[in-house]
Amino acid sequence: MTDIRDRIRNIIAEQAMLEPDQVTDDSSPADLGIDSLGLVESIFALEEEFDITIPFNANEPEKSEFDISSMGSIIAAVEKLVAEKA
Amino acid sequence: MSPKKTADEAAAPATKPANGLRRVVITGMGTVNALGLDVPKTLEAFREGRSGISQLNFRDVDRLTIQIGAQIHDWQPETWFNRQQILLYDKFTQFTLLAAKEAVEQSGLDFQGELGLSAGVVLGTAGGGLNTWDENYRVVYEEGKNRVHPFVVPKLMNNAAASHVSMEYGLRGPSFTVATACASSNHAMGLAFQMVRSGAAKVMLSGGSEAMLCFGGVKAWEGLRVMSRDACRPFSANRNGMVQGEGAGVFVFEDYEHARARGAEILAEVVGFAMSSDAQDIVMPSAQGAERAITGAMRDAALNPEDIGYINAHGTGTAANDKTECAAVAHAFGHHADQLMMSSTKSMHGHVIGGTGAIELLACVMALRDGIIAPTIGYEEPDPECALDVVPNTAREAKVTAVLSNAFAFGGLNAVIALRKV
């Protein structure tokens, strides 16, 4: 699963205009300087990369089944969706 | 050859008001939307707090995540137009022409003579002939055909509706189309108001139209993840996004003296308009930008905050818009914010994007004329960030003498109109 983890990190790093190693598991999208539109863009990029559908509504991010509170939770949620697809 | 003096010219007052500005009144209105194919049915739905939102029904809808919208399900163009017209009119033009017919008939105006030379039409739309784009992209990309119908361009162009209205009624003065996303029809009506007020035109038809409920139209909106999957609940703490609608609204704006001279029924007076730009973000709204348009409209109308009894909100039902709009109103009105009513009729007719302000102005006229405030339906939980009287769920009787209609577009373009009882 490290492969998935690296691919996610690369996508988020590109969106945040940071180096992948600066994207740590405990950082939130806001910590990385990703605003609401950047978040929607990141989620689209993750969907395209892994051919998954991420349930996310920008109006109630905290209520979405997809937890975006930190990089760690995003990675876990994407891994789960990828596993469900397989 | 000396031009003959027409009845219109003879009826005009000998002198202009001291400041050169003319008073502007509404003498006709028309609409087509999911609540009804005319004004009486729409106002009835406003009074009853009825929703026009339902399961969407069009080609490939099963491939959409968003399945609801305020769609006009019983739209049968052959009822209103002949075969040749249907070939030439995109749905957004069809909606406009039907709304314009109702408005012009109510006004009783005839533009065939001299009046047509000082009459025009300014309409708003965001997507224009989006169904035409969608259908013909399918033809060339999906079906692989190499030929399209010769009317594709005249059907899809954003000015098609304005042009057909001008042709239908012989409006030979200023006509054009405004595209400012969700504020398009407010910008259009504001400009029409300014043209009549300045004397550049005696009569202007104005409003807007949108027909974006097709596969490509809704799919594009899905991408932003701001649409609700279940309901439009403006200002409610559990709101989860906007719901799109379709339709048109058209008004007749007329020089007050002209309307009086011919004994026309005056529905309301248009007294102020202001525009502002956030200059900030392409999708996130700004309370300061909204507030500047609100206070600007009141200043333009020479109204004080205490004069305003009702605001038809932009109220999209998104997390961001509703709290920003409430903050703007609270700041613009100070203590009076607790006295005024503000509702979002998008909860009933959906967000009609470039046509929405025109349909919403009907609720403003209803408030002034009938003393009935249209409700915000779908309201379930108070939100401390939207702590205004949003007229939840049930219409209310109230005497108001001046109202505002807000529109705040993506791209940070704001347009607010002020009306007064006559």
Side-chain angles (χ1 to χ4, degrees):
Chain A
M1 296 295 254
T2 48
D3 174 44
I4 290 183
R5 181 172 285 264
D6 287 344
R7 283 155 73 190
I8 297 171
R9 214 183 289 283
N10 288 338
I11 286 170
I12 302 296
E14 193 183 348
Q15 185 68 45
M17 292 186 288
L18 297 169
E19 290 304 317
D21 58 11
Q22 292 176 282
V23 180
T24 57
D25 275 9
D26 59 351
S27 46
S28 70
D31 294 337
L32 301 171
I34 296 177
D35 65 7
S36 61
L37 200 57
L39 188 60
V40 168
E41 224 182 322
S42 304
I43 286 171
F44 167 73
L46 292 170
E47 288 182 327
E48 287 284 281
E49 175 74 14
F50 297 104
D51 190 23
I52 52 175
T53 300
I54 296 175
F56 177 79
N57 180 340
N59 292 289
E60 41 181 12
E62 70 289 346
K63 277 192 207 159
S64 296
E65 300 149 58
F66 189 80
D67 181 359
I68 47 102
S69 54
S70 72
M71 271 309 296
S73 65
I74 291 173
I75 289 168
V78 170
E79 284 176 345
K80 185 161 167 275
L81 287 167
V82 172
E84 280 168 6
K85 193 182 70 131
Chain B
M1 197 174 83
S2 65
K4 257 198 339 204
K5 208 171 187 186
T6 65
D8 287 318
E9 283 164 339
T15 54
K16 282 185 171 187
N19 59 5
L21 297 179
R22 329 276 312 185
R23 288 175 68 185
V24 183
V25 292
I26 299 175
T27 55
M29 48 189 195
T31 188
V32 172
N33 65 82
L35 299 172
L37 301 185
D38 57 32
V39 171
K41 286 195 197 74
T42 302
L43 299 190
E44 183 186 279
F46 284 172
R47 289 193 297 269
E48 293 174 359
R50 193 163 71 233
S51 170
I53 295 168
S54 63
Q55 167 71 42
L56 289 171
N57 179 23
F58 47 71
R59 189 175 166 182
D60 288 337
V61 71
D62 52 304
R63 286 178 56 207
L64 293 170
T65 309
I66 302 302
Q67 290 284 323
I68 57 165
Q71 187 180 0
I72 303 173
H73 289 295
D74 49 356
W75 184 249
Q76 289 173 337
E78 55 281 2
T79 309
W80 315 100
F81 307 108
N82 66 34
R83 181 185 160 278
Q84 201 57 23
Q85 290 171 319
I86 292 168
L87 276 174
L88 191 54
Y89 301 162
D90 180 274
K91 219 187 224 185
F92 95 104
T93 297
Q94 297 175 14
F95 291 161
T96 306
L97 283 166
L98 193 57
K101 183 172 187 284
E102 186 183 13
V104 172
E105 281 175 4
Q106 180 175 26
S107 77
L109 285 167
D110 178 356
F111 300 98
Q112 292 311 314
E114 290 285 315
L115 181 60
L117 292 170
S118 55
V121 50
V122 184
L123 296 173
T125 187
L130 204 95
N131 273 274
T132 300
W133 285 106
D134 207 46
E135 285 160 16
N136 287 281
Y137 277 152
R138 272 186 207 283
V139 167
V140 292
Y141 293 141
E142 191 176 311
E143 296 165 19
K145 288 188 183 168
N146 282 324
R147 190 183 300 122
V148 296
H149 194 278
F151 296 166
V152 171
V153 167
K155 262 177 98 169
L156 63 76
M157 59 192 195
N158 279 32
N159 59 311
S163 295
H164 285 297
V165 170
S166 81
M167 287 184 271
E168 180 72 25
Y169 297 102
L171 311 177
R172 287 159 286 160
S175 295
F176 56 97
T177 295
V178 179
T180 50
C182 312
S184 301
S185 52
N186 267 26
H187 275 111
M189 294 188 294
L191 293 175
F193 159 64
Q194 289 178 339
M195 277 189 272
V196 177
R197 183 167 69 168
S198 72
K202 260 188 198 130
V203 178
M204 291 298 293
L205 267 58
S206 192
S209 168
E210 203 67 71
M212 218 177 254
L213 294 179
C214 58
F215 179 75
V218 177
K219 183 51 84 182
W221 275 100
E222 277 183 10
L224 267 177
R225 295 172 188 264
V226 294
M227 307 272 282
S228 171
R229 292 194 202 191
D230 50 16
C232 180
R233 303 183 196 88
F235 308 117
S236 190
N238 63 344
R239 66 187 180 278
N240 62 2
M242 51 174 273
V243 174
Q244 232 189 103
E246 63 180 356
V250 175
F251 293 83
V252 176
F253 287 1
E254 184 172 355
D255 180 307
Y256 170 71
E257 297 295 341
H258 188 268
R260 273 210 21 193
R262 67 186 187 89
E265 185 187 5
I266 292 169
L267 305 174
E269 180 170 4
V270 190
V271 285
F273 174 61
M275 308 176 256
S276 71
S277 309
D278 296 345
Q280 217 166 64
D281 191 279
I282 197 68
V283 290
M284 292 305 281
S286 144
Q288 290 76 25
E291 184 187 344
R292 284 189 292 118
I294 291 167
T295 51
M298 288 192 283
R299 196 165 50 241
D300 189 46
L303 290 168
N304 296 312
E306 299 73 35
D307 298 326
I308 305 294
Y310 169 67
I311 300 174
N312 186 288
H314 191 54
T316 56
T318 61
N321 174 82
D322 294 3
K323 70 175 178 195
T324 306
E325 182 167 16
C326 287
V329 168
H331 204 254
F333 285 88
H335 293 308
H336 186 64
D338 297 329
Q339 310 299 316
L340 57 80
M341 295 167 279
M342 177 165 88
S343 68
S344 168
T345 49
K346 287 188 178 73
S347 55
M348 294 180 271
H349 52 66
H351 191 336
V352 191
I353 317 291
T356 208
I359 295 169
E360 290 163 30
L361 204 68
L362 295 170
C364 291
V365 175
M366 182 173 89
L368 293 171
R369 266 174 70 78
D370 305 334
I372 298 170
I373 309 298
T376 303
I377 70 164
Y379 187 85
E380 292 172 352
E381 292 173 26
D383 179 351
E385 288 192 291
C386 302
L388 298 173
D389 178 359
V390 298
V391 197
N393 299 318
T394 312
R396 195 181 302 166
E397 286 187 25
K399 273 204 174 123
V400 295
T401 52
V403 303
L404 298 180
S405 185
N406 288 347
F408 310 127
F410 269 178
L413 311 183
N414 312 303
V416 177
I417 296 177
L419 300 186
R420 190 167 58 195
K421 194 181 176 79
V422 176

